[in-house]
Amino acid sequence: MAPPDRGGRPTLEDVAAYAGVSRSTASRALNEETYVSPRAREAVMAAARDLGYSPNQAARSLVTRRTGAIALLLSEPESKVLDDPYYLVVMRAAFRELANRGSQMLVMFVDNRQDIPRTMKFLDGGHVDGVLVFAPHTGDPLAPALRQLRVPIVFGGSSVANAKGLYTVDYDNRSGAKMAVEHLLAHGRKRIVTITGPQSQRAARDRLAGWREALAAAGMKTEGRSESADFTPSSGDQAMRHLLERVPDLDAVFAASDPMAAGAIRALRAAGRSVPGDVAVVGFDDNPRVAPALEPPLTTVHQDPAEQVARMIEMLLLLQSGHEPPVRRLVLPVSLTKRGSA
């Protein structure tokens, strides 16, 4: 059958006629519903391709109650997110994964408490089908507010007070830190300090706990050998300078993020210390834009934000379809990528 020429956009009726099926069958096939034979579904999809048919999303959402959009909600200031290599990987991974599944990604930032009512009104207004949330700080008022939403929500990380009942995908941060310290111990390092992330974040607290556990198990000192920073290179530089003043004979550093490790290496060089000759350095992230590019290349705990996002989306889609995910809190394993800094 030749495609109809009506001088406008093809309609659902055009697709049905071209495929030789009823309008209701064409609608069910295009909406991926059941009770459509494989042969009819194939004919409808071929007709839609041949005719260049694109369903009216607004009309379709009235039927399916779906918008085709997922919100990626980042509870951090926009300026910080866009400067953080971790969040850049998260955004790219979420965009690609959702695009591959036929969904649009909407990025939203919550800079402060005043943004929360506006954010909640939008998310609960039927504009999105679900929310992927990165709210890393304990006590963030956004987290309890999100519990009131009627759409599925999955958290990346678990810095949420009273997280019972929430769906989260996290990394084994404590084991990763222990792995880093055990690597340094195995190479004969005796005075291992750490640069921690902000202790309002569970990931940072878990990495600090892993450092302490590994050193305690080896019978080594931890008091006075940690310095807090904020995951940025400049804060890592400053923290390293403080540690050098306090522990001048240190011979290894575990930095709780790659950017902080980069700052630490800069401070060590400024102090005349060689890496790894005088001081070995291990980071955490294995960010492809940071770790391999440092001089020397950074030994670091490997985590893959793309995997985290993919598992979050899988969990979200299960919730959308009315199914319960196998677990509410999924903890992903980490590994150690060995390079020249340690």
Side-chain angles (χ1 to χ4, degrees):
M1 178 186 296
D5 183 8
R6 298 184 179 179
R9 293 178 57 185
T11 65
L12 180 60
E13 288 78 8
D14 294 332
V15 173
Y18 190 62
V21 299
S22 68
R23 185 186 187 283
S24 60
T25 297
S27 176
R28 288 197 300 273
L30 291 168
N31 286 319
E32 300 180 3
E33 297 178 15
T34 54
Y35 308 114
V36 181
S37 71
R39 183 175 180 180
R41 189 184 304 277
E42 183 178 346
V44 170
M45 301 309 289
R49 287 194 302 269
D50 290 348
L51 298 177
Y53 173 75
S54 177
N56 183 304
Q57 185 61 45
R60 183 174 178 178
S61 67
L62 292 174
V63 177
T64 64
R65 298 183 183 274
R66 296 284 179 86
T67 67
I70 299 294
L72 176 63
L73 184 57
L74 304 168
S75 187
E76 293 275 22
E78 174 208 359
S79 57
K80 182 175 181 180
V81 169
L82 297 180
D83 286 338
D84 189 323
Y86 173 79
Y87 284 118
L88 293 178
V89 174
V90 164
M91 287 189 282
R92 289 193 182 99
F95 169 77
R96 180 52 51 205
E97 185 72 20
L98 289 170
N100 289 341
R101 295 174 179 271
S103 296
Q104 296 292 326
M105 181 178 80
L106 175 66
V107 179
M108 302 182 69
F109 299 97
V110 176
D111 280 0
N112 51 56
R113 187 183 295 268
Q114 286 68 43
D115 286 341
I116 294 177
R118 170 184 55 80
T119 302
M120 291 291 295
K121 182 178 180 180
F122 180 87
L123 293 175
D124 213 29
H127 303 291
V128 298
D129 298 327
V131 189
L132 305 170
V133 184
F134 285 83
H137 298 278
T138 302
D140 189 332
L142 175 67
L146 289 171
R147 289 176 180 269
Q148 311 304 316
L149 292 182
R150 292 171 289 181
V151 295
I153 305 168
V154 176
F155 284 81
S158 51
S159 289
V160 181
N162 189 21
K164 184 178 180 180
L166 298 180
Y167 297 91
T168 64
V169 179
D170 205 354
Y171 284 100
D172 195 343
N173 292 289
R174 187 179 298 232
S175 291
K178 291 174 66 176
M179 195 181 304
V181 176
E182 287 165 358
H183 175 75
L184 292 168
L185 291 169
H187 284 75
R189 305 293 171 162
K190 304 294 185 183
R191 294 167 297 282
I192 304 171
V193 300
T194 186
I195 300 173
T196 79
Q199 294 303 287
S200 64
Q201 299 193 22
R202 178 169 177 171
R205 295 198 304 274
D206 284 350
R207 293 171 195 180
L208 175 60
W211 170 81
R212 284 177 173 152
E213 286 177 15
L215 288 182
M220 294 193 173
K221 180 179 178 180
T222 61
E223 294 80 7
R225 296 192 173 186
S226 65
E227 186 72 23
S228 181
D230 66 2
F231 288 139
T232 63
S234 60
S235 71
D237 184 317
Q238 184 177 27
M240 189 73 256
R241 293 173 190 270
H242 291 161
L243 286 166
L244 283 167
E245 291 175 0
R246 197 158 63 242
V247 191
D249 60 345
L250 63 88
D251 62 3
V253 183
F254 166 57
S257 78
D258 289 352
M260 291 195 304
I265 290 174
R266 185 169 64 211
L268 288 166
R269 281 219 183 89
R273 308 290 180 95
S274 66
V275 177
D278 296 326
V279 181
V281 179
V282 178
F284 202 116
D285 291 331
D286 201 12
N287 186 279
R289 290 194 171 190
V290 179
L294 292 176
E295 183 55 45
L298 185 66
T299 294
T300 181
V301 178
H302 175 81
Q303 61 178 3
D304 184 2
E307 180 186 7
Q308 181 185 26
V309 168
R311 302 301 288 273
M312 289 172 67
I313 291 172
E314 288 174 4
M315 193 176 282
L316 191 70
L317 293 178
L318 278 174
L319 292 169
Q320 281 183 355
S321 64
H323 295 90
E324 181 73 14
V327 295
R328 284 183 176 266
R329 181 170 185 255
L330 177 63
V331 179
L332 301 175
V334 295
S335 59
L336 187 69
T337 301
K338 299 175 185 179
R339 299 190 181 95
S341 70

